[in-house]
Amino acid sequence: MAQDKKLVEAITSMEEDFAQWYTDVVRKAELIDYTSVKGCMVIKPAGYAIWENIRNELDRRFKEAGVENVYLPMFIPESLLQKEKDHVEGFAPEVAWVTKGGLEDLQERLCVRPTSETLFCDFYKNDIHSYRDLPKVYNQWCSVVRWEKTTRPFLRSREFLWQEGHTAHATAEEAEARTEQMLNLYADFCEEYLAMPVIRGQKTEKEKFSGAEATYTIEALMHDGKALQSGTSHNFGDNFSKPFEIQFTDKDNKLKYVYQTSWGMTTRLIGAIIMVHGDNSGLVLPPKVAPVQVMVIPIQQKKEGVLDKAAEVRDALKAAGIRAKMDDSEKSPGWKFSEQEMRGIPVRVELGPKDIAAGQAVVVRRDTREKITVAIDELAAKLPEILASIQHDLFEKAKKHRDSHTYEAHNKEEMKDLADNKPGFIKAMWCGCRECEDAMKEEFGVTSRCMPFHQEQIADTCVYCGKPAKKMVYWGKAY
Amino acid sequence: MAQDKKLVEAITSMEEDFAQWYTDVVRKAELIDYTSVKGCMVIKPAGYAIWENIRNELDRRFKEAGVENVYLPMFIPESLLQKEKDHVEGFAPEVAWVTKGGLEDLQERLCVRPTSETLFCDFYKNDIHSYRDLPKVYNQWCSVVRWEKTTRPFLRSREFLWQEGHTAHATAEEAEARTEQMLNLYADFCEEYLAMPVIRGQKTEKEKFSGAEATYTIEALMHDGKALQSGTSHNFGDNFSKPFEIQFTDKDNKLKYVYQTSWGMTTRLIGAIIMVHGDNSGLVLPPKVAPVQVMVIPIQQKKEGVLDKAAEVRDALKAAGIRAKMDDSEKSPGWKFSEQEMRGIPVRVELGPKDIAAGQAVVVRRDTREKITVAIDELAAKLPEILASIQHDLFEKAKKHRDSHTYEAHNKEEMKDLADNKPGFIKAMWCGCRECEDAMKEEFGVTSRCMPFHQEQIADTCVYCGKPAKKMVYWGKAY
């Protein structure tokens, strides 16, 4: 069985080559496949099922937060893209252009949306007239295109799936509140659902979104000590509403510009799950996001009664609301264990003739490999507890990893030493100057990840120039 | 309140101008908005929520039928599109071409997918090796682009949302069974969920999908007597697997080509719902697909206790699993009734001080306008029955309309008379020749909708040429 072999043959260890380990996991856990379209990937069933769970849970939280879904065109006329100066400068160099429709050359070329601020503005301009039409809290689930030169599955590809929320408000305060609300929704989602701790903060001027007044971000630390920007929320003020002329008549009968926000999360989160929780046996999925939570694996399945009992257990688990499957393929139990581990299924239940005779089964946790003997009759009651415990422990483990890889630098020398030798977050004070930020990237290879909402005064002077410090910043190397 | 007025001012009656009535409904029920992108539309919250219900229910049925979701790139390299001769001839004239990525001209231009057979083939070629890898029963939810010259909201637009299933099988028989299974799934979905009766049948050679061996279709009759193709399922045989070289090693150790199918449904279904169930007050949504099933409308809502009682009723309905909302805006009850009717919400519950004093409410059906007095305490128990009854009655009404607009033609004269004077389906025998089919279009303006699975021998000779008949065909004018 050549295919089984391919799946479970050893993957590169993460200590040896983290990038190769990552590529091995995405391929061997069958999350993606490469395509003839350079820089684009196929998201295979195991990968797409993770995205479906992310989407469904985020969408549920969105709807609780008053968000309504819409769908806007994938094409943006060039003239529309150019209306906001900073925005076009940020995106024009990396868009794909449609120049021909059917057999005819287009009079105006269209870009495939890299993000849809401009289209939402064009829509809101016609849809908003009065304060009664506000707020607009719309979101769309779609794919976007950015013509990246170097790509990596989930982390950076020319096309990716995401959601983009775009809102319009009567006041600056309301826009600011929505920007923060959505960032916190993202952070809670990452921590509660993906078991991934994040730092909440604000991007510097240099790192903020093209056209935004302020960009908030959540930053997670991967297993290799690199940071991953996991979700962003932007407050545009009236930067877009002025060039796009989105005005409304307020209660005081005056014509005013709306205040806008946007916020997005992408399939990149799947990359984050892999790099936060994965190990040298493959993927490790937190139970809440796992498409299959429990794999029942019969041992000596040809013996009478084994398959029947295994199916009975699977059905009892499903009836208890657990996403359970049974692997009754003709592979050996060893292969099946390796496959279940590679695919990151949180728990397997081993069930053989001796177990059945003793009225028990062996439950094996994917994260710790701990084996727990449970009476067959109690599986449906015990497994939710075990799954909850895995979810909790994965978060704690990731948090411990992050905290133990978060350092402080008080001067250039410490910064250089940490940047060279200690992969992780580096907390350091900053004067607020673009020059220092550029120099830190140039000399130490680190970028500002965020100015955390939770500030600490770890020194009084800028780590780079020694002038009075304004903010504590998380620095790091990033995906 | 200019906006309310705009919404509820009279729409064109369907008897006066059906096309204008349709446009009025999609705009005034706030399903779509036009955009700066010619031929593309914004699907607004009320429209998108209908699509979400369609998607969720179809997806649930797909998963029960063993379908797995994936996501493939939106771009197709020109060389890939050209591999299957008939397919490229069918689609090349109506695709959008990306010729530039970022600042560089592409070496090979990419089309924005009009459909993804060629990409799935390219993927399957690498993913399928052995009979153990079969069948592949994959589907994706995405948008596609076809550069149509004339467009209409939902019915024909340059970009639309759909699902496209693509399967690969070891045998021709299995592919044929899957083609039929999915067509029947579509038909059941339309009849059970959208309350829309359909004719199941096969397309003629002329009307089949480019590259298919056989195309099955479901055809529905709109209120104006025109047909709408509502879903199709294609059996490709090995037409694609040969040029794409998708081969597998079978159990007998021989290398064989796979057999393939594809099947799709689109946002066009929303157009069908409008044109099958709508009336001169606006949209009429079957309860199963309606995003809001019941609107509770308080009367004299400023009187003490009215809003509280209305909210209590809404909450009780929601607790009973009904998608209920309350309209507590400051508009007059009359406006609210008109809005609820325009938006097609299946039921409204009117609740004023007198009703509350009498412990009852007035339930008004959207479809029949029947008023039913129900005790407030019994609303949560009675409304599911009323909604089920509306769902049932809408189907029966649509079926009655279709059956009473289905005619038989036995010769050219009858065909011409029906085509000119009786909008609807025309059943007539056909010899099987392309020439007769072309002539019927030329002379009578009708196309073959399908050769129904349920055949009737209504004559022995072709309605056009008089030669021996092979098939009974449904003919009609179509969207």
Side-chain angles (χ1 to χ4, degrees):
Chain A
M1 302 198 195
Q3 224 202 348
D4 307 342
K5 187 131 187 302
K6 193 179 66 187
L7 180 76
V8 294
E9 76 196 2
I11 56 175
T12 307
S13 83
M14 53 168 77
E15 292 76 16
E16 188 188 330
D17 182 344
F18 193 80
Q20 188 59 48
W21 167 83
Y22 178 80
T23 306
D24 286 354
V25 171
V26 295
R27 291 301 301 279
K28 292 190 180 163
E30 301 198 46
L31 302 181
I32 69 116
D33 209 345
Y34 296 105
T35 69
S36 298
V37 192
K38 195 169 170 288
C40 296
M41 60 183 175
V42 169
I43 307 182
K44 296 176 77 169
Y48 197 81
I50 297 173
W51 180 241
E52 280 183 319
N53 283 350
I54 289 174
R55 189 195 65 192
N56 292 344
E57 174 65 12
L58 260 183
D59 202 66
R60 191 186 67 73
R61 291 176 186 234
F62 286 168
K63 281 174 178 153
E64 271 181 9
V67 177
E68 295 182 290
N69 285 335
V70 297
Y71 187 80
L72 269 63
M74 69 154 80
F75 298 123
I76 307 177
E78 187 166 19
S79 55
L80 213 56
L81 189 68
Q82 288 175 333
K83 277 206 176 177
E84 207 288 329
K85 193 178 59 67
D86 290 336
H87 190 70
V88 65
E89 278 176 18
F91 284 102
E94 58 172 35
V95 297
W97 292 103
V98 174
T99 57
K100 203 162 178 163
L103 303 171
E104 286 165 27
D105 291 328
L106 300 185
Q107 294 210 319
E108 179 181 10
R109 59 183 191 166
L110 304 169
C111 83
V112 183
R113 66 181 157 221
T115 179
S116 303
E117 277 74 12
T118 53
L119 277 177
F120 271 88
C121 284
D122 196 47
F123 167 45
Y124 283 150
K125 176 183 160 56
N126 298 316
D127 210 43
I128 295 171
H129 305 282
S130 146
Y131 69 91
R132 289 189 196 89
D133 301 326
L134 294 172
K136 293 284 185 203
V137 186
Y138 289 170
N139 172 68
Q140 71 178 357
W141 293 93
C142 61
S143 77
V144 285
V145 168
R146 296 178 189 175
W147 217 253
E148 307 278 1
K149 290 216 171 64
T150 53
T151 59
R152 298 190 64 192
F154 296 121
L155 300 177
R156 196 171 293 278
S157 54
R158 287 189 169 170
E159 182 188 4
F160 56 91
L161 302 180
W162 80 344
Q163 58 70 216
E164 49 178 326
H166 296 268
T167 72
H169 306 270
T171 67
E173 293 69 32
E174 201 182 297
E176 175 60 21
R178 177 57 75 168
T179 316
E180 291 172 19
Q181 176 187 10
M182 298 316 290
L183 190 86
N184 285 322
L185 187 153
Y186 285 163
D188 293 344
F189 168 79
C190 284
E191 301 198 330
E192 294 164 9
Y193 196 75
L194 306 182
M196 182 170 87
V198 294
I199 304 289
R200 307 170 195 215
Q202 183 172 358
K203 287 284 184 190
T204 61
E205 277 296 299
K206 179 183 176 182
E207 299 288 340
K208 75 178 187 187
F209 185 80
S210 314
E213 224 154 64
T215 289
Y216 301 135
T217 180
I218 49 174
E219 301 281 326
L221 197 69
M222 304 298 102
H223 202 86
D224 62 346
K226 279 197 191 167
L228 188 86
Q229 176 181 305
S230 305
T232 48
S233 185
H234 317 291
N235 186 345
F236 293 119
D238 53 12
N239 288 354
F240 279 87
S241 61
K242 283 188 170 165
F244 280 90
E245 296 175 48
I246 313 173
Q247 289 180 295
F248 69 101
T249 308
D250 206 352
K251 286 178 185 168
D252 58 11
N253 220 25
K254 284 186 181 150
L255 208 57
K256 296 178 186 173
Y257 289 103
V258 300
Y259 295 85
Q260 291 173 273
T261 82
S262 81
W263 22 275
M265 272 193 158
T266 79
T267 31
R268 170 165 246 234
L269 286 174
I270 299 175
I273 294 169
I274 298 167
M275 293 195 291
V276 167
H277 301 300
D279 65 20
N280 284 333
S281 301
L283 191 60
V284 176
L285 290 171
K288 285 188 184 174
V289 76
V292 180
Q293 297 172 313
V294 176
M295 184 63 86
V296 179
I297 300 182
I299 316 286
Q300 295 183 273
Q301 65 187 34
K302 285 181 181 161
K303 292 227 168 149
E304 203 189 322
V306 172
L307 273 182
D308 287 347
K309 197 56 161 180
E312 200 181 286
V313 165
R314 176 203 55 198
D315 294 342
L317 296 179
K318 284 172 83 167
I322 297 166
R323 297 189 288 270
K325 278 199 170 180
M326 171 174 75
D327 186 351
D328 60 356
S329 64
E330 291 184 2
K331 300 158 196 158
S332 72
W335 283 124
K336 294 179 187 179
F337 297 168
S338 296
E339 283 191 0
Q340 168 257 326
E341 290 178 4
M342 182 64 73
R343 290 178 176 150
I345 297 167
V347 161
R348 72 168 175 261
V349 174
E350 304 175 2
L351 195 67
K354 282 181 200 162
D355 301 306
I356 294 169
Q360 63 188 35
V362 180
V363 172
V364 186
R365 285 174 61 145
R366 172 66 184 86
D367 60 335
T368 58
R369 288 188 172 65
E370 186 190 352
K371 294 190 177 201
I372 310 158
T373 302
V374 178
I376 291 175
D377 294 345
E378 286 174 19
L379 280 169
K382 283 278 181 200
L383 273 168
E385 288 169 30
I386 294 170
L387 291 168
S389 165
I390 295 173
Q391 183 82 25
H392 172 269
D393 293 356
L394 283 175
F395 178 82
E396 291 302 325
K397 188 179 165 196
K399 189 160 181 298
K400 203 170 154 191
H401 176 267
R402 183 194 68 189
D403 292 346
S404 67
H405 290 77
T406 300
Y407 307 96
E408 289 185 7
H410 304 87
N411 52 52
K412 272 198 214 182
E413 293 66 35
E414 284 180 16
M415 180 59 97
K416 180 171 167 41
D417 181 48
L418 287 169
D420 287 350
N421 303 310
K422 298 277 187 187
F425 280 136
I426 306 168
K427 297 197 279 191
M429 303 305 293
W430 176 52
C431 62
C433 282
R434 172 72 182 255
E435 290 71 23
C436 288
E437 202 177 349
D438 286 342
M440 301 263 277
K441 181 160 189 196
E442 179 75 18
E443 288 179 39
F444 312 132
V446 296
T447 53
S448 70
R449 304 316 310 150
C450 71
M451 303 178 284
F453 295 147
H454 177 70
Q455 284 282 314
E456 301 162 67
Q457 186 79 6
I458 61 173
D460 296 326
T461 55
C462 174
V463 68
Y464 192 83
C465 70
K467 288 186 189 150
K470 288 202 177 128
K471 284 281 183 186
M472 186 190 80
V473 171
Y474 275 86
W475 306 84
K477 295 174 182 173
Y479 280 97
Chain B
M1 303 200 194
Q3 225 202 347
D4 307 343
K5 188 134 183 302
K6 194 179 66 185
L7 180 77
V8 293
E9 75 196 5
I11 55 174
T12 307
S13 83
M14 56 167 79
E15 292 76 18
E16 188 187 330
D17 183 344
F18 194 80
Q20 188 58 48
W21 167 83
Y22 178 80
T23 306
D24 287 354
V25 171
V26 294
R27 290 303 301 279
K28 293 188 180 165
E30 301 198 47
L31 302 181
I32 70 117
D33 210 346
Y34 295 104
T35 70
S36 298
V37 192
K38 193 168 172 289
C40 295
M41 59 184 178
V42 169
I43 307 181
K44 296 177 76 169
Y48 198 80
I50 296 173
W51 180 242
E52 279 183 321
N53 283 350
I54 289 174
R55 189 194 65 192
N56 292 345
E57 174 65 13
L58 259 183
D59 202 68
R60 191 185 67 71
R61 291 176 185 234
F62 286 167
K63 281 173 178 154
E64 272 181 9
V67 177
E68 296 182 289
N69 285 334
V70 296
Y71 187 79
L72 269 64
M74 70 155 79
F75 298 123
I76 306 176
E78 186 166 18
S79 56
L80 214 55
L81 189 68
Q82 289 176 334
K83 277 206 176 178
E84 207 287 329
K85 194 179 57 70
D86 291 335
H87 190 68
V88 66
E89 277 177 18
F91 284 103
E94 58 173 35
V95 297
W97 291 103
V98 174
T99 57
K100 204 162 179 165
L103 303 171
E104 285 164 28
D105 291 327
L106 300 186
Q107 295 210 318
E108 178 181 13
R109 59 183 190 165
L110 305 169
C111 82
V112 183
R113 66 180 157 221
T115 178
S116 302
E117 276 74 12
T118 54
L119 278 175
F120 271 88
C121 284
D122 196 47
F123 167 44
Y124 284 150
K125 176 182 159 58
N126 297 316
D127 210 44
I128 294 170
H129 305 282
S130 146
Y131 69 91
R132 288 188 196 88
D133 301 327
L134 295 172
K136 294 284 185 202
V137 185
Y138 289 171
N139 172 67
Q140 71 178 357
W141 292 92
C142 62
S143 76
V144 286
V145 168
R146 297 180 188 174
W147 216 253
E148 307 278 1
K149 290 213 171 68
T150 52
T151 59
R152 297 190 63 192
F154 296 121
L155 299 177
R156 195 172 294 278
S157 53
R158 286 189 170 170
E159 182 188 5
F160 55 91
L161 303 179
W162 79 345
Q163 59 69 217
E164 48 178 327
H166 296 269
T167 72
H169 306 270
T171 66
E173 293 68 33
E174 201 183 296
E176 175 60 21
R178 177 57 75 168
T179 316
E180 291 172 18
Q181 177 187 8
M182 298 317 289
L183 190 86
N184 285 322
L185 187 154
Y186 286 163
D188 292 345
F189 168 80
C190 285
E191 301 199 330
E192 294 163 9
Y193 197 75
L194 306 182
M196 183 170 86
V198 295
I199 303 290
R200 308 170 194 212
Q202 183 172 357
K203 288 284 185 191
T204 60
E205 277 297 299
K206 178 183 177 183
E207 299 287 340
K208 75 179 188 186
F209 185 80
S210 315
E213 224 154 62
T215 288
Y216 301 136
T217 181
I218 48 175
E219 301 281 326
L221 197 69
M222 304 297 103
H223 201 84
D224 63 346
K226 279 197 193 167
L228 189 86
Q229 175 182 307
S230 304
T232 48
S233 184
H234 317 290
N235 186 345
F236 293 120
D238 54 10
N239 289 353
F240 279 87
S241 61
K242 284 187 170 165
F244 280 89
E245 294 174 50
I246 314 173
Q247 288 179 294
F248 69 101
T249 309
D250 206 350
K251 287 178 185 167
D252 59 10
N253 220 26
K254 285 188 181 148
L255 207 57
K256 297 178 186 173
Y257 289 103
V258 300
Y259 295 86
Q260 291 172 273
T261 82
S262 82
W263 22 275
M265 272 193 157
T266 79
T267 33
R268 169 164 248 236
L269 286 174
I270 299 175
I273 294 170
I274 299 168
M275 292 195 290
V276 167
H277 300 301
D279 64 21
N280 284 333
S281 301
L283 191 60
V284 176
L285 290 171
K288 285 189 184 173
V289 75
V292 180
Q293 297 172 314
V294 175
M295 184 63 86
V296 179
I297 300 182
I299 316 287
Q300 295 183 274
Q301 65 186 34
K302 285 183 180 158
K303 292 228 166 144
E304 203 189 321
V306 173
L307 273 182
D308 286 347
K309 198 53 161 181
E312 201 181 283
V313 165
R314 177 203 55 200
D315 293 342
L317 295 180
K318 284 171 83 166
I322 296 166
R323 298 189 288 271
K325 279 199 168 177
M326 171 174 75
D327 185 351
D328 60 356
S329 65
E330 292 184 2
K331 300 159 196 157
S332 73
W335 283 123
K336 293 180 187 180
F337 297 167
S338 296
E339 283 192 1
Q340 167 257 327
E341 290 178 4
M342 182 64 73
R343 290 178 176 148
I345 297 167
V347 161
R348 72 168 174 260
V349 174
E350 305 175 1
L351 196 67
K354 282 181 202 161
D355 301 306
I356 294 170
Q360 63 190 34
V362 179
V363 172
V364 186
R365 285 174 61 145
R366 170 68 183 86
D367 61 335
T368 57
R369 287 186 171 68
E370 184 190 353
K371 293 188 176 202
I372 309 158
T373 303
V374 178
I376 291 175
D377 294 345
E378 286 175 20
L379 280 168
K382 282 277 181 201
L383 273 168
E385 288 169 32
I386 294 170
L387 291 168
S389 165
I390 295 173
Q391 182 82 25
H392 173 268
D393 293 355
L394 283 175
F395 178 81
E396 291 302 325
K397 188 178 165 196
K399 188 159 181 297
K400 202 170 153 190
H401 176 268
R402 184 195 67 189
D403 292 346
S404 67
H405 290 77
T406 299
Y407 307 96
E408 289 184 9
H410 303 88
N411 53 50
K412 274 198 211 181
E413 292 65 37
E414 284 179 18
M415 178 60 94
K416 180 170 166 40
D417 180 50
L418 288 168
D420 288 348
N421 303 310
K422 298 276 187 187
F425 281 135
I426 306 167
K427 298 197 279 190
M429 302 306 292
W430 176 52
C431 62
C433 283
R434 173 70 182 256
E435 288 70 25
C436 288
E437 203 177 348
D438 287 341
M440 301 263 277
K441 181 161 189 195
E442 178 75 20
E443 288 179 39
F444 312 133
V446 297
T447 53
S448 70
R449 305 315 310 150
C450 71
M451 302 177 286
F453 294 148
H454 177 69
Q455 284 282 314
E456 300 162 68
Q457 186 78 7
I458 61 173
D460 296 326
T461 55
C462 173
V463 67
Y464 193 82
C465 70
K467 288 185 192 152
K470 287 202 179 126
K471 285 279 181 187
M472 186 191 79
V473 171
Y474 276 86
W475 307 85
K477 295 175 181 172
Y479 281 96

